[in-house]
mmCIF file of all heavy atoms in Angstrom:
data_model
loop_
_atom_site.group_PDB
_atom_site.id
_atom_site.type_symbol
_atom_site.label_atom_id
_atom_site.label_comp_id
_atom_site.label_asym_id
_atom_site.label_seq_id
_atom_site.Cartn_x
_atom_site.Cartn_y
_atom_site.Cartn_z
ATOM 1 N N GLY A 52 -33.068 -34.376 1.889
ATOM 2 C CA GLY A 52 -33.021 -33.020 2.421
ATOM 3 C C GLY A 52 -31.647 -32.652 2.960
ATOM 4 O O GLY A 52 -31.248 -31.486 2.920
ATOM 5 N N ALA A 53 -30.923 -33.637 3.451
ATOM 6 C CA ALA A 53 -29.582 -33.378 3.990
ATOM 7 C C ALA A 53 -28.623 -32.843 2.931
ATOM 8 O O ALA A 53 -27.591 -32.260 3.254
ATOM 9 C CB ALA A 53 -29.009 -34.660 4.596
ATOM 10 N N LEU A 54 -28.966 -33.034 1.643
ATOM 11 C CA LEU A 54 -28.120 -32.514 0.568
ATOM 12 C C LEU A 54 -27.978 -30.988 0.659
ATOM 13 O O LEU A 54 -26.973 -30.436 0.214
ATOM 14 C CB LEU A 54 -28.712 -32.891 -0.795
ATOM 15 C CG LEU A 54 -28.639 -34.375 -1.183
ATOM 16 C CD1 LEU A 54 -29.390 -34.611 -2.481
ATOM 17 C CD2 LEU A 54 -27.186 -34.819 -1.314
ATOM 18 N N ALA A 55 -28.966 -30.316 1.238
ATOM 19 C CA ALA A 55 -28.892 -28.861 1.386
ATOM 20 C C ALA A 55 -27.737 -28.478 2.304
ATOM 21 O O ALA A 55 -26.973 -27.543 2.012
ATOM 22 C CB ALA A 55 -30.208 -28.325 1.934
ATOM 23 N N SER A 56 -27.585 -29.214 3.408
ATOM 24 C CA SER A 56 -26.470 -28.954 4.328
ATOM 25 C C SER A 56 -25.150 -29.367 3.709
ATOM 26 O O SER A 56 -24.132 -28.682 3.865
ATOM 27 C CB SER A 56 -26.687 -29.714 5.645
ATOM 28 O OG SER A 56 -27.810 -29.220 6.329
ATOM 29 N N VAL A 57 -25.159 -30.483 2.988
ATOM 30 C CA VAL A 57 -23.935 -30.975 2.351
ATOM 31 C C VAL A 57 -23.431 -29.965 1.323
ATOM 32 O O VAL A 57 -22.230 -29.682 1.239
ATOM 33 C CB VAL A 57 -24.176 -32.342 1.687
ATOM 34 C CG1 VAL A 57 -22.977 -32.762 0.853
ATOM 35 C CG2 VAL A 57 -24.484 -33.397 2.738
ATOM 36 N N ALA A 58 -24.351 -29.397 0.531
ATOM 37 C CA ALA A 58 -23.965 -28.417 -0.488
ATOM 38 C C ALA A 58 -23.308 -27.205 0.142
ATOM 39 O O ALA A 58 -22.307 -26.678 -0.366
ATOM 40 C CB ALA A 58 -25.196 -27.985 -1.285
ATOM 41 N N LEU A 59 -23.849 -26.757 1.265
ATOM 42 C CA LEU A 59 -23.279 -25.619 1.979
ATOM 43 C C LEU A 59 -21.861 -25.939 2.448
ATOM 44 O O LEU A 59 -20.933 -25.134 2.306
ATOM 45 C CB LEU A 59 -24.168 -25.273 3.169
ATOM 46 C CG LEU A 59 -23.983 -23.902 3.801
ATOM 47 C CD1 LEU A 59 -24.727 -22.845 3.009
ATOM 48 C CD2 LEU A 59 -24.481 -23.911 5.239
ATOM 49 N N THR A 60 -21.672 -27.136 3.009
ATOM 50 C CA THR A 60 -20.364 -27.547 3.514
ATOM 51 C C THR A 60 -19.349 -27.672 2.389
ATOM 52 O O THR A 60 -18.196 -27.234 2.518
ATOM 53 C CB THR A 60 -20.476 -28.891 4.264
ATOM 54 O OG1 THR A 60 -21.417 -28.751 5.328
ATOM 55 C CG2 THR A 60 -19.133 -29.311 4.825
ATOM 56 N N LEU A 61 -19.760 -28.291 1.291
ATOM 57 C CA LEU A 61 -18.829 -28.502 0.176
ATOM 58 C C LEU A 61 -18.316 -27.180 -0.394
ATOM 59 O O LEU A 61 -17.106 -27.022 -0.616
ATOM 60 C CB LEU A 61 -19.522 -29.304 -0.933
ATOM 61 C CG LEU A 61 -19.737 -30.801 -0.670
ATOM 62 C CD1 LEU A 61 -20.453 -31.438 -1.836
ATOM 63 C CD2 LEU A 61 -18.416 -31.499 -0.417
ATOM 64 N N SER A 62 -19.212 -26.225 -0.614
ATOM 65 C CA SER A 62 -18.758 -24.951 -1.173
ATOM 66 C C SER A 62 -17.874 -24.202 -0.190
ATOM 67 O O SER A 62 -16.909 -23.539 -0.586
ATOM 68 C CB SER A 62 -19.952 -24.082 -1.581
ATOM 69 O OG SER A 62 -20.788 -23.802 -0.484
ATOM 70 N N THR A 63 -18.168 -24.331 1.097
ATOM 71 C CA THR A 63 -17.332 -23.690 2.117
ATOM 72 C C THR A 63 -15.915 -24.243 2.071
ATOM 73 O O THR A 63 -14.928 -23.489 2.106
ATOM 74 C CB THR A 63 -17.939 -23.905 3.512
ATOM 75 O OG1 THR A 63 -19.192 -23.213 3.588
ATOM 76 C CG2 THR A 63 -17.021 -23.382 4.598
ATOM 77 N N VAL A 64 -15.795 -25.574 2.002
ATOM 78 C CA VAL A 64 -14.486 -26.217 1.960
ATOM 79 C C VAL A 64 -13.704 -25.795 0.717
ATOM 80 O O VAL A 64 -12.491 -25.556 0.764
ATOM 81 C CB VAL A 64 -14.644 -27.752 2.009
ATOM 82 C CG1 VAL A 64 -13.345 -28.455 1.660
ATOM 83 C CG2 VAL A 64 -15.123 -28.186 3.384
ATOM 84 N N LEU A 65 -14.407 -25.697 -0.408
ATOM 85 C CA LEU A 65 -13.748 -25.348 -1.664
ATOM 86 C C LEU A 65 -13.328 -23.883 -1.727
ATOM 87 O O LEU A 65 -12.247 -23.549 -2.212
ATOM 88 C CB LEU A 65 -14.686 -25.655 -2.842
ATOM 89 C CG LEU A 65 -14.902 -27.140 -3.177
ATOM 90 C CD1 LEU A 65 -16.033 -27.280 -4.185
ATOM 91 C CD2 LEU A 65 -13.633 -27.763 -3.718
ATOM 92 N N VAL A 66 -14.189 -23.018 -1.228
ATOM 93 C CA VAL A 66 -14.012 -21.590 -1.465
ATOM 94 C C VAL A 66 -13.110 -20.908 -0.441
ATOM 95 O O VAL A 66 -12.337 -20.008 -0.797
ATOM 96 C CB VAL A 66 -15.394 -20.891 -1.483
ATOM 97 C CG1 VAL A 66 -15.250 -19.375 -1.452
ATOM 98 C CG2 VAL A 66 -16.167 -21.327 -2.709
ATOM 99 N N THR A 67 -13.185 -21.301 0.837
ATOM 100 C CA THR A 67 -12.513 -20.549 1.897
ATOM 101 C C THR A 67 -11.025 -20.320 1.645
ATOM 102 O O THR A 67 -10.556 -19.179 1.704
ATOM 103 C CB THR A 67 -12.736 -21.224 3.258
ATOM 104 O OG1 THR A 67 -14.141 -21.302 3.511
ATOM 105 C CG2 THR A 67 -12.075 -20.440 4.369
ATOM 106 N N PRO A 68 -10.225 -21.366 1.367
ATOM 107 C CA PRO A 68 -8.798 -21.091 1.125
ATOM 108 C C PRO A 68 -8.555 -20.275 -0.135
ATOM 109 O O PRO A 68 -7.666 -19.420 -0.173
ATOM 110 C CB PRO A 68 -8.174 -22.489 1.012
ATOM 111 C CG PRO A 68 -9.300 -23.399 0.663
ATOM 112 C CD PRO A 68 -10.508 -22.804 1.315
ATOM 113 N N MET A 69 -9.346 -20.512 -1.188
ATOM 114 C CA MET A 69 -9.188 -19.759 -2.424
ATOM 115 C C MET A 69 -9.530 -18.290 -2.215
ATOM 116 O O MET A 69 -8.852 -17.393 -2.739
ATOM 117 C CB MET A 69 -10.089 -20.344 -3.511
ATOM 118 C CG MET A 69 -9.527 -21.576 -4.186
ATOM 119 S SD MET A 69 -7.967 -21.241 -5.033
ATOM 120 C CE MET A 69 -8.505 -20.058 -6.260
ATOM 121 N N ALA A 70 -10.575 -18.015 -1.447
ATOM 122 C CA ALA A 70 -10.973 -16.633 -1.195
ATOM 123 C C ALA A 70 -9.857 -15.873 -0.498
ATOM 124 O O ALA A 70 -9.549 -14.722 -0.860
ATOM 125 C CB ALA A 70 -12.247 -16.597 -0.353
ATOM 126 N N GLY A 71 -9.261 -16.513 0.508
ATOM 127 C CA GLY A 71 -8.176 -15.865 1.221
ATOM 128 C C GLY A 71 -7.000 -15.553 0.315
ATOM 129 O O GLY A 71 -6.425 -14.458 0.362
ATOM 130 N N ARG A 72 -6.624 -16.497 -0.543
ATOM 131 C CA ARG A 72 -5.475 -16.293 -1.419
ATOM 132 C C ARG A 72 -5.780 -15.266 -2.518
ATOM 133 O O ARG A 72 -4.914 -14.457 -2.872
ATOM 134 C CB ARG A 72 -5.053 -17.629 -2.049
ATOM 135 C CG ARG A 72 -3.782 -17.556 -2.872
ATOM 136 C CD ARG A 72 -2.619 -17.079 -2.039
ATOM 137 N NE ARG A 72 -1.417 -16.881 -2.858
ATOM 138 C CZ ARG A 72 -0.531 -15.925 -2.645
ATOM 139 N NH1 ARG A 72 -0.699 -15.075 -1.658
ATOM 140 N NH2 ARG A 72 0.532 -15.820 -3.418
ATOM 141 N N ILE A 73 -6.983 -15.291 -3.064
ATOM 142 C CA ILE A 73 -7.361 -14.303 -4.077
ATOM 143 C C ILE A 73 -7.287 -12.892 -3.487
ATOM 144 O O ILE A 73 -6.828 -11.946 -4.139
ATOM 145 C CB ILE A 73 -8.766 -14.600 -4.628
ATOM 146 C CG1 ILE A 73 -8.739 -15.877 -5.485
ATOM 147 C CG2 ILE A 73 -9.289 -13.435 -5.458
ATOM 148 C CD1 ILE A 73 -10.102 -16.357 -5.912
ATOM 149 N N ALA A 74 -7.737 -12.746 -2.235
ATOM 150 C CA ALA A 74 -7.652 -11.438 -1.574
ATOM 151 C C ALA A 74 -6.203 -11.017 -1.382
ATOM 152 O O ALA A 74 -5.869 -9.830 -1.508
ATOM 153 C CB ALA A 74 -8.374 -11.491 -0.230
ATOM 154 N N ASP A 75 -5.331 -11.985 -1.075
ATOM 155 C CA ASP A 75 -3.907 -11.683 -0.924
ATOM 156 C C ASP A 75 -3.317 -11.152 -2.226
ATOM 157 O O ASP A 75 -2.509 -10.228 -2.236
ATOM 158 C CB ASP A 75 -3.132 -12.946 -0.503
ATOM 159 C CG ASP A 75 -3.372 -13.326 0.953
ATOM 160 O OD1 ASP A 75 -3.636 -12.425 1.768
ATOM 161 O OD2 ASP A 75 -3.288 -14.529 1.262
ATOM 162 N N VAL A 76 -3.713 -11.758 -3.345
ATOM 163 C CA VAL A 76 -3.091 -11.455 -4.634
ATOM 164 C C VAL A 76 -3.746 -10.257 -5.312
ATOM 165 O O VAL A 76 -3.060 -9.346 -5.796
ATOM 166 C CB VAL A 76 -3.137 -12.689 -5.564
ATOM 167 C CG1 VAL A 76 -2.615 -12.346 -6.945
ATOM 168 C CG2 VAL A 76 -2.319 -13.827 -4.963
ATOM 169 N N TYR A 77 -5.069 -10.223 -5.355
ATOM 170 C CA TYR A 77 -5.778 -9.213 -6.136
ATOM 171 C C TYR A 77 -6.393 -8.093 -5.300
ATOM 172 O O TYR A 77 -6.966 -7.159 -5.854
ATOM 173 C CB TYR A 77 -6.860 -9.871 -6.988
ATOM 174 C CG TYR A 77 -6.299 -10.806 -8.030
ATOM 175 C CD1 TYR A 77 -6.532 -12.177 -7.970
ATOM 176 C CD2 TYR A 77 -5.503 -10.320 -9.071
ATOM 177 C CE1 TYR A 77 -6.008 -13.040 -8.928
ATOM 178 C CE2 TYR A 77 -4.969 -11.169 -10.021
ATOM 179 C CZ TYR A 77 -5.229 -12.525 -9.940
ATOM 180 O OH TYR A 77 -4.699 -13.369 -10.883
ATOM 181 N N GLY A 78 -6.330 -8.218 -3.998
ATOM 182 C CA GLY A 78 -6.899 -7.185 -3.147
ATOM 183 C C GLY A 78 -8.174 -7.652 -2.467
ATOM 184 O O GLY A 78 -8.957 -8.420 -3.020
ATOM 185 N N ALA A 79 -8.383 -7.162 -1.232
ATOM 186 C CA ALA A 79 -9.509 -7.627 -0.428
ATOM 187 C C ALA A 79 -10.837 -7.014 -0.873
ATOM 188 O O ALA A 79 -11.868 -7.691 -0.864
ATOM 189 C CB ALA A 79 -9.257 -7.301 1.042
ATOM 190 N N ARG A 80 -10.820 -5.741 -1.257
ATOM 191 C CA ARG A 80 -12.079 -5.064 -1.586
ATOM 192 C C ARG A 80 -12.808 -5.714 -2.758
ATOM 193 O O ARG A 80 -13.991 -6.072 -2.634
ATOM 194 C CB ARG A 80 -11.804 -3.586 -1.871
ATOM 195 C CG ARG A 80 -13.059 -2.731 -2.029
ATOM 196 C CD ARG A 80 -12.660 -1.272 -2.270
ATOM 197 N NE ARG A 80 -13.800 -0.375 -2.242
ATOM 198 C CZ ARG A 80 -14.576 -0.103 -3.275
ATOM 199 N NH1 ARG A 80 -14.326 -0.684 -4.454
ATOM 200 N NH2 ARG A 80 -15.602 0.721 -3.164
ATOM 201 N N PRO A 81 -12.170 -5.912 -3.924
ATOM 202 C CA PRO A 81 -12.890 -6.549 -5.032
ATOM 203 C C PRO A 81 -13.266 -7.992 -4.732
ATOM 204 O O PRO A 81 -14.325 -8.471 -5.158
ATOM 205 C CB PRO A 81 -11.907 -6.457 -6.208
ATOM 206 C CG PRO A 81 -10.572 -6.248 -5.588
ATOM 207 C CD PRO A 81 -10.819 -5.484 -4.336
ATOM 208 N N THR A 82 -12.398 -8.701 -3.972
ATOM 209 C CA THR A 82 -12.704 -10.091 -3.612
ATOM 210 C C THR A 82 -13.940 -10.157 -2.735
ATOM 211 O O THR A 82 -14.843 -10.976 -2.948
ATOM 212 C CB THR A 82 -11.512 -10.733 -2.882
ATOM 213 O OG1 THR A 82 -10.336 -10.620 -3.685
ATOM 214 C CG2 THR A 82 -11.784 -12.204 -2.593
ATOM 215 N N LEU A 83 -13.996 -9.271 -1.732
ATOM 216 C CA LEU A 83 -15.140 -9.264 -0.813
ATOM 217 C C LEU A 83 -16.434 -8.943 -1.543
ATOM 218 O O LEU A 83 -17.464 -9.602 -1.325
ATOM 219 C CB LEU A 83 -14.881 -8.248 0.300
ATOM 220 C CG LEU A 83 -15.925 -8.181 1.420
ATOM 221 C CD1 LEU A 83 -15.262 -7.916 2.766
ATOM 222 C CD2 LEU A 83 -16.952 -7.095 1.138
ATOM 223 N N LEU A 84 -16.402 -7.969 -2.427
ATOM 224 C CA LEU A 84 -17.619 -7.591 -3.148
ATOM 225 C C LEU A 84 -18.060 -8.684 -4.124
ATOM 226 O O LEU A 84 -19.268 -8.920 -4.297
ATOM 227 C CB LEU A 84 -17.386 -6.272 -3.883
ATOM 228 C CG LEU A 84 -17.150 -5.045 -2.980
ATOM 229 C CD1 LEU A 84 -16.856 -3.815 -3.813
ATOM 230 C CD2 LEU A 84 -18.357 -4.807 -2.073
#
Side-chain angles (χ1 to χ4, degrees):
L54 290 174
S56 294
V57 172
L59 197 81
T60 302
L61 286 179
S62 60
T63 294
V64 167
L65 288 170
V66 169
T67 302
M69 280 298 297
R72 186 59 186 145
I73 290 172
D75 286 331
V76 175
Y77 296 114
R80 188 178 188 274
T82 305
L83 185 144
L84 295 177

